[in-house]
Amino acid sequence: MSANSRLTIAAHALTWIGLYQRRGHEVATSEQIATSINTNPVVVRRMLGELRKAGLAVSRRGAGAGWMLARDLAAITLLDVYRAIETGPVFALHRATPDPECVVGRGIGPAMTAVYDDVEAALCRELAKTTLEDVLRDVLKAA
């Protein structure tokens, strides 16, 4: 099973736009952002579309088209980004109902749900502690 990189890509795109705007540019194109991420601009446009729906990015069409932040980096947490792009739970139960006649089959759902709920709550708490301003600060420190 491979790890999900959607949060990293979304945070990368928004942080890049924020830095680009601070350097005096009004809008960033998906091609420019995709170059930094090393992915296809279509991937960036789809991701930014989700972020736009969540109120984290805005787009401009026509002459001077591109993407801008809807809020300052300091007002966007990793939890905001996570909620914008991840629609389901971190972990899921079986796709098919386990055997209700089996003691494990009958009890695994409630047992695992309790653990998963705690994991999801901890994840959200941690993501809420970090803003994209924090991410940019750490990126610039490492440069």
Side-chain angles (χ1 to χ4, degrees):
M1 181 182 336
S2 65
N4 183 335
S5 63
R6 287 174 47 83
L7 177 60
T8 302
I9 292 169
H12 185 146
L14 291 171
T15 303
W16 192 93
I17 294 169
L19 179 60
Y20 193 66
Q21 287 181 301
R22 284 188 186 172
R23 291 182 171 169
H25 304 279
E26 191 172 346
V27 296
T29 67
S30 54
E31 289 79 10
Q32 292 168 316
I33 302 162
T35 298
S36 178
I37 297 171
N38 194 24
T39 193
N40 190 297
V42 172
V43 172
V44 171
R45 282 191 287 276
R46 286 185 186 139
M47 178 76 64
L48 287 171
E50 293 176 57
L51 296 168
R52 178 182 52 216
K53 287 178 191 170
L56 303 178
V58 293
S59 62
R60 181 190 303 166
R61 295 181 179 228
W67 294 93
M68 300 166 282
L69 295 179
R71 304 190 315 233
D72 188 66
L73 290 174
I76 302 172
T77 67
L78 288 177
L79 180 58
D80 296 327
V81 179
Y82 175 76
R83 286 182 171 156
I85 60 166
E86 298 297 341
T87 57
V90 175
F91 298 108
L93 298 178
H94 308 81
R95 292 178 194 257
T97 304
D99 181 0
E101 300 301 316
C102 170
V103 66
V104 175
R106 184 173 49 252
I108 193 74
M112 296 305 289
T113 296
V115 172
Y116 294 164
D117 288 349
D118 290 346
V119 168
E120 185 108 18
L123 172 69
C124 290
R125 274 192 310 277
E126 289 302 311
L127 292 176
K129 292 179 184 178
T130 304
T131 67
L132 291 183
E133 184 69 38
D134 299 328
V135 172
L136 179 58
R137 182 196 64 236
D138 292 347
V139 164
L140 295 175
K141 256 197 259 181

